[in-house]
Structures are given as C-alpha cells and as structure tokens.
Amino acid sequence: MCGIVGYIGDRDCADVLVDALSKLEYRGYDSAGIAVFDKGTIKVEKCKGRLINLVNKMELEGKPNGHCGIGHTRWATHGEPSDINSHPHGNKRVSIVHNGIIENYKQIKDFLIGEGYSFVSETDTETVAKLLDYYYVDDPIDTIIKVISEIKGSYALGIMFRDYPDRIFAVRKESPLIVGVGENENFLASDVPAIIKYTRDYYLLEADEIAVVKKDGVSIYNTHKEPVKKEINTADWDVDAAEKGGYEHFMLKEIYEQPSAVRDTISHRITDGMPDFSNDGIDMEQLKKYRQIFIVGCGTAMHAGMVGQYVIEKLARIPVIVDIASEFRYRDPLITDKDLLIVISQSGETADTLAVLRLAKEVNAATMAIVNVVGSSIAREADMVVYTHAGPEISVASTKAYMVQISVMYLLAFELAYLNGAISEEMCRKLTEELKSMPDIIKETLELKDTCSYVASKLMNAESLLYIGRGLDYALSMEGSLKLKEISYIHSESYAAGELKHGTISLITDGMPVIAVATQKKLIEKTISNIKEVKARGARVVLICADGVEVGEDVADYIIRLPQVDEQLMPMVAAAPLQLIAYYTSVLKGNDVDKPRNLAKSVTVE
Ligand code: M6R
C-alpha cells in the first residue's frame, strides 16, 4: 500500500522518480507526487489521480530540476484522494513520503497545533513531517531517532532535509523499504520492480534502521546512532519480469506465466520422484508431529489455504483449520506450542497475516511461511520459509501467486501423508509425478481462452452472479468469485452448492448467471442436482467440469471441459479458466484490469 521511491545520482531525478513510481503504481494509485532538490530548495509537485496526471501536470508547469529526491504513489488511508492529501508532505525545511499508518497521529497533531503548527491536509503523514521539523535543529539522524521513538504504528519514510541536499534519509517499521545500490547512484523503493532497471543490488532495512543515502554511498544506523553493517541482496530476476512483455495487461501475462512459475516452484522440491523440502531447511519428520495445522492468509492467499486444508486433511489425515488473518488474530485462537501455523502471502507484507505470525510465535507455535517476495517481513520472521518462485506479480488481482501457493500445498500434503503412513510411497510418487505434469496441463487449459472470453461476453452485463461448488470445487469457486468481483465490479458470491437451498437460492432470478465448478467425481451427482435446482428457477448455468465426465449437454447452458487429472489436483486445472473469465469480463467492461478501483496490491495496513 502506497509506493515510495527515492533517487540520488547524475540522472534527471524527476524522470527517474516517475519511472520508478510507474513500476509501483500497483501499490496505490489514487494520487502521486515527487519532491526534488532544485537550486537549493525542495520543490514539490503532486496531484490527485494516476501517475499520468502528475506527468501531464509537470509537462504543462515544468518539472523540478535536480538529481536528488523522493516520490510517492498513494492508496488513501487518512483523507480522501486529493491534491492536498497527496504526498510529499512537509514544509520548506523537511519533506517526506510515507507508507503505513501513524496510529497516534491525532495526539501528535494536537500537540503540534499547541506549539503553533498549522496543518493543511487530513493525513497522518503530515504530522510526522511537522514533528520532524519540530525536533530538527541540525542533525537529521538525531531528529529521526527522536521522531520514531514517539510515533506509533507502521511506517516506511523517505525524508529530505533542506540543509542536506546531497542525501535522502529513510527509515521503516512494518512497511517495506529497500535501498537500491547502483554505481555512483542510489535508490529508495518499496519494492524491487521500481529499481530493477537501474540495479539488482539492494539492502533490506530492518525495523527502525536509518539509512542515509548519498550518491556515492549508503550508511545505515541503528537507533543508538551506531553504524550497522549489512549484506547486499541481489534480485534474481531481470527487467523483463517486471514489464508487460507484449501482453495487454500484467494480469494476462501473469496468467500465462503460471506453467513456468509452477515448474520453478516445485522442480527443485522433488528428488527421485518424491517431495523434498530439505533445501528449505524443513524437518518434515518434525512437521508431521504437530497436533494440528492452522493455515492463515488473506484474500487469494487464504483461498490457496482452503485448497491446502482439503488436501492435507484428505491425504495426511492431520486436522487443519484455515482462517482469514484479520479474523484469526482477534478471536483468541486456540493455538499452542503443539501446533503448526502456515501463513501464506504473495507479498510477505500483509499486515494482518504478519500479525498472525507474531501471535503464533508468542505462544511458541511452529511457524512456516509460504511467501513469494524474498526478504519480506513475513519471510524474515517465520521459523521456516518456503519461497514460491512466481517472479514479481504486478497485477493487483493475484493469479500466478495462487497457482504456486497451491502447488506448494500439494507437495506438503503429499509428503506429510507419506510420512504419516496415510498413503503409500507408490501413491506419493504417483501424485508427485502428476503434480510435475501440471505445468503442461495448465498450458493446455490456457488454450481455452476464447471459450473463456465467450463466457465473459455472456456475463459482462450481469448485475450479480453466483459461483457454486462442493469440496475442493467450493474452495476454487471462492477464488473464481473473488477474481471476478475484484476486477469486473460485478457482484458475485461463492456458495457451497449444497448450502444454496438454506437461503441463498432465493436470490436466483430469471437469467441470473451461475458458474458451477464440478471437478470432483464423487460429488458431481450432488452438484448436478444443485445445478438443476437453480436452472429450474431461471439461472443460466456455466458448468466447469472435467473432460470425460458424463453429464447431459442440457444440464447447463454452457459447458467448459477441462483436462482430467487426479481429482485432488483439479484446482490447478480449473483455476486458469476461472481467472480468464474474470479477466475478459473486466476487459469487455473497459475496466482498468491491473489497477481495479479502491484496491492496492500489498495491504500493509489493517
Ligand atoms: O500479498 P498477500 O498474498 O498477502 O495478499 C493477500 C491479499 O491481499 C491478496 O491475495 C488479494 O486478495 C488479491 N488482490 C486477490 O486477487
């Protein structure tokens, strides 16, 4: 949420900041701004709306001219999107950009008003800028240390002091921030895609480490003002990974990257045909001993957890509780040191998921993180980390991250099941072999794109629709429905098919679309009965089922047939068509697919 960048070097700073921000717009896109040292003063340009509005504004009015500055793209928390509420905030002496939430901003603001300060915006950020100004005498590091000792909440801050035009300062807690290290130029960024064009090397800042970023070097201090020595990290993907590469949208590109993402994620975790997490440093013998497993995440990541729950319980016979992070953390959960918590997160920065991880650590539960972003907070804090290898996911709607998350869930389930004696070695090998073939199968399902686009054309004018399924198909329907509503803005719900007649079926009206997912042989008859019930009440049904399943052609108005694999693995087969249906519906409606309204990619606030 919110993207931060900073630059110091020989290039035109405004150009670099805008370019870097364009790679972070997925983090927030309701306003944008930059501050640049221009002839000894801090010159600020900012405005409401997408980054392009700022670019147009600067084209008309002239851009700040200099080589050192900070920039921001906003996802509003305090105060509506407006020119005034846009970052940077501050005054002539101090200018800042901020990602996070300052929880005690009201007290600080009241205090500063008492000290004679006035405020122009509704943001919490402006209080930090003014507090920096209040404490600033001549030493920025002392000032930052003082301010972070007083503010509460989450923050990643890029800071400029007028008296130090040859450097920018940075500090973070809870919200992510990296310092990019180039040749005679250095950077600040919320995420690697912003700087990958310029450098692959970066420092990860730990909580409350203060970075002083100059053209020819970066110094990092702790809160005692002692220098901190840090390892440089190197991103292992290149510029192309963060570009659209000829696709119209990142979402489509990412859907098409799923076969390779799955291959990259599972191939080095299979040895001699068996799952193998030893390279992740995971002791599976220990893992199977836990009393129960909790799987927690938000949104799509939680839906991947639902698939995990089904397959771990079914195959390994270990009880699994899956929950939404924002609920789990506040319900005094019955998790103990005898349990294992698995958190799932693409970004590794989701505030609620991170809070759950910390809560589990407090009670000494074992913690495992399934994370995509290397070095993210969740990855750093979990006892065990299983990195997914999806590469950068830029589109707000998560697709390839889901696919790799469930591929890890499968491998874990297979190994746990085998170690528990719940399945034979032969069965474990067979399932693992089938999982290995999934990249090719997913590729095959992508050939259904025209079918999905046709279905989308039939859905695009609907006001509301339902996704139904049972078992694994229900878990999958949850994800299909989220994908559709998030980018098409069509109201949709996912229901366990058998639950419909307990209330929800009253919503069915003539012509209402229902997407029925029925890939599980044992349950197909039951789901077909539910389809008949909704059809009898006027629903137009799209049935998604496996090839070879015998269903009368008149069961549904439209049938999408998928390659048949072991039915445990069918979510990996059915996910891409569901994503494509959502994608084409959004495109046909003329929506901004990659940046749907009101959303942001990485939800670093509660
Ligand atoms: O980065 P995370 O995986 O922790 O993010 C969790 C959710 O915010 C995320 O999956 C969200 O639901 C997606 N926008 C859905 O497409």
Side-chain angles (χ1 to χ4, degrees):
M1 251 159 198
C2 297
I4 289 181
V5 296
Y7 176 73
I8 180 155
D10 292 328
R11 304 178 201 248
D12 181 293
C13 183
D15 287 352
V16 176
L17 294 176
V18 166
D19 175 59
L21 285 177
S22 73
K23 304 291 184 299
L24 290 188
E25 259 205 301
Y26 64 86
R27 299 183 66 87
Y29 30 85
D30 58 42
S31 53
I34 62 171
V36 174
F37 280 113
D38 185 347
K39 298 179 203 78
T41 64
I42 300 175
K43 195 161 173 214
V44 174
E45 287 292 344
K46 55 184 184 174
C47 68
K48 179 183 164 179
R50 300 281 160 98
L51 183 62
I52 188 70
N53 295 6
L54 177 70
V55 172
N56 292 341
K57 182 170 184 259
M58 293 197 294
E59 246 166 47
L60 277 177
E61 298 169 8
K63 63 181 181 189
N65 196 0
H67 302 279
C68 175
I70 52 179
H72 190 263
T73 176
R74 179 169 185 246
W75 188 87
T77 57
H78 295 60
E80 58 170 11
S82 69
D83 289 356
I84 298 275
N85 288 334
S86 310
H87 301 208
H89 287 283
N91 56 21
K92 289 192 169 126
R93 291 208 309 166
V94 184
S95 187
I96 71 166
V97 287
H98 167 224
N99 169 26
I101 287 186
I102 305 302
E103 286 159 6
N104 58 342
Y105 87 101
K106 187 79 180 67
Q107 293 95 302
I108 297 172
K109 191 168 179 176
D110 290 345
F111 164 75
L112 289 169
I113 289 171
E115 294 294 311
Y117 279 83
S118 57
F119 288 81
V120 292
S121 78
E122 301 154 88
T123 64
D124 51 342
T125 305
E126 192 182 359
T127 58
V128 182
K130 301 276 162 81
L131 194 62
L132 282 162
D133 182 77
Y134 175 75
Y135 284 123
Y136 177 60
V137 181
D138 55 9
D139 187 327
I141 299 182
D142 287 342
T143 310
I144 292 169
I145 291 171
K146 179 77 185 141
V147 166
I148 60 176
S149 74
E150 293 195 2
I151 57 178
K152 293 197 174 67
S154 56
Y155 46 83
L157 295 165
I159 310 168
M160 294 161 71
F161 288 88
R162 182 194 55 196
D163 303 339
Y164 292 85
D166 63 342
R167 64 198 78 175
I168 46 183
F169 299 85
V171 64
R172 69 165 282 273
K173 191 170 135 201
E174 311 288 324
S175 303
L177 198 57
I178 59 171
V179 180
V181 183
E183 286 219 359
N184 232 9
E185 60 180 357
N186 291 306
F187 305 81
L188 274 187
S190 299
D191 204 352
V192 178
I195 55 164
I196 194 81
K197 181 169 157 189
Y198 308 97
T199 179
R200 296 156 74 113
D201 296 335
Y202 62 93
Y203 291 115
L204 284 164
L205 289 181
E206 295 296 334
D208 285 344
E209 284 178 347
I210 299 155
V212 182
V213 186
K214 297 191 200 172
K215 179 179 158 185
D216 56 1
V218 176
S219 318
I220 297 172
Y221 301 90
N222 62 21
T223 47
H224 303 292
K225 220 179 166 183
E226 295 153 351
V228 179
K229 255 197 127 20
K230 291 186 81 75
E231 296 277 307
I232 287 202
N233 297 269
T234 303
D236 62 359
W237 41 270
D238 57 22
V239 186
D240 293 347
E243 302 288 342
K244 282 192 203 147
Y247 287 89
E248 200 180 335
H249 298 102
F250 277 111
M251 182 175 176
L252 191 61
K253 177 184 178 231
E254 288 160 7
I255 289 173
Y256 273 80
E257 283 172 343
Q258 294 183 111
S260 58
V262 170
R263 194 171 290 118
D264 293 348
T265 300
I266 62 170
S267 56
H268 63 286
R269 296 193 171 106
I270 298 174
T271 307
D272 296 334
M274 292 290 278
D276 177 5
F277 287 89
S278 57
N279 287 336
D280 299 293
I282 292 171
D283 176 358
M284 290 300 288
E285 285 292 343
Q286 174 58 33
L287 224 57
K288 70 171 201 201
K289 293 191 183 132
Y290 294 108
R291 187 185 62 156
Q292 66 179 354
I293 299 176
F294 293 85
I295 307 180
V296 180
C298 300
T300 291
M302 194 280 287
H303 295 157
M306 286 177 75
V307 173
Q309 178 189 36
Y310 277 101
V311 289
I312 294 174
E313 285 197 339
K314 173 121 208 276
L315 294 172
R317 312 308 289 164
I318 299 172
V320 180
I321 291 178
V322 65
D323 207 351
I324 298 166
S326 55
E327 286 296 314
F328 187 83
R329 65 182 288 194
Y330 291 117
R331 70 176 169 84
D332 204 1
L334 292 170
I335 184 167
T336 70
D337 59 357
K338 296 188 175 46
D339 302 320
L340 168 68
L341 170 79
I342 302 180
V343 286
I344 306 181
S345 175
Q346 187 285 128
S347 63
E349 299 293 348
T350 302
D352 285 316
T353 311
L354 182 58
V356 168
L357 175 64
R358 289 177 180 163
L359 181 150
K361 290 189 81 168
E362 267 171 34
V363 298
N364 293 323
T367 58
M368 176 193 286
I370 299 176
V371 177
N372 197 41
V373 176
V374 177
S376 54
S377 304
I378 290 174
R380 281 187 281 175
E381 293 189 25
D383 303 330
M384 298 165 264
V385 186
V386 178
Y387 279 117
T388 52
H389 295 275
E393 190 180 63
I394 308 288
S395 178
V396 166
S398 185
T399 53
K400 61 177 178 172
Y402 174 76
M403 198 66 100
V404 292
Q405 286 159 357
I406 61 177
S407 70
V408 169
M409 289 276 99
Y410 281 115
L411 265 189
L412 277 174
F414 299 165
E415 183 154 22
L416 282 171
Y418 168 62
L419 293 175
N420 253 359
I423 60 169
S424 64
E425 182 179 332
E426 192 192 350
M427 176 56 88
C428 187
R429 284 186 187 284
K430 186 177 159 291
L431 288 168
T432 308
E433 189 56 32
E434 192 129 24
L435 183 64
K436 260 173 88 179
S437 71
M438 291 317 292
D440 292 334
I441 307 280
I442 297 167
K443 219 176 190 167
E444 214 179 309
T445 64
L446 294 172
E447 282 162 23
L448 290 165
K449 83 176 190 14
D450 293 340
T451 305
C452 296
S453 159
Y454 173 77
V455 169
S457 71
K458 301 288 169 202
L459 302 180
M460 62 176 286
N461 294 318
E463 268 184 24
S464 181
L465 67 135
L466 284 183
Y467 284 73
I468 59 171
R470 287 169 178 259
L472 275 170
D473 291 329
Y474 171 52
L476 193 60
S477 300
M478 294 283 288
E479 178 55 10
S481 168
L482 174 65
K483 218 80 307 167
L484 185 86
K485 68 185 132 200
E486 150 173 60
I487 57 174
S488 75
Y489 315 146
I490 298 174
H491 170 254
S492 89
E493 295 296 335
S494 167
Y495 255 79
E499 181 68 7
L500 275 184
K501 51 180 148 327
H502 298 286
T504 310
I505 202 162
S506 69
L507 291 175
I508 304 285
T509 50
D510 210 24
M512 181 176 181
V514 171
I515 300 193
V517 188
T519 66
Q520 305 294 300
K521 272 195 200 123
K522 215 171 75 189
L523 297 168
I524 192 146
E525 290 303 327
K526 307 273 175 211
T527 308
I528 285 180
S529 302
N530 301 131
I531 293 175
K532 288 192 172 147
E533 287 157 10
V534 292
K535 262 192 91 59
R537 286 156 182 86
R540 280 185 298 138
V541 176
V542 177
L543 169 63
I544 301 183
C545 64
D547 221 1
V549 170
E550 283 188 25
V551 287
E553 287 305 313
D554 58 342
V555 158
D557 297 86
Y558 201 82
I559 302 183
I560 301 181
R561 291 188 179 274
L562 305 170
Q564 173 79 68
V565 297
D566 184 291
E567 58 186 36
Q568 314 282 336
L569 288 163
M570 283 306 287
M572 294 192 78
V573 185
L578 288 169
Q579 295 161 350
L580 285 168
I581 289 172
Y583 171 77
Y584 284 113
T585 309
S586 177
V587 170
L588 289 169
K589 293 192 77 177
N591 295 349
D592 189 340
V593 177
D594 288 333
K595 300 189 205 85
R597 71 182 175 210
N598 303 340
L599 290 170
K601 181 74 183 159
S602 173
V603 185
T604 52
V605 295
E606 266 196 66

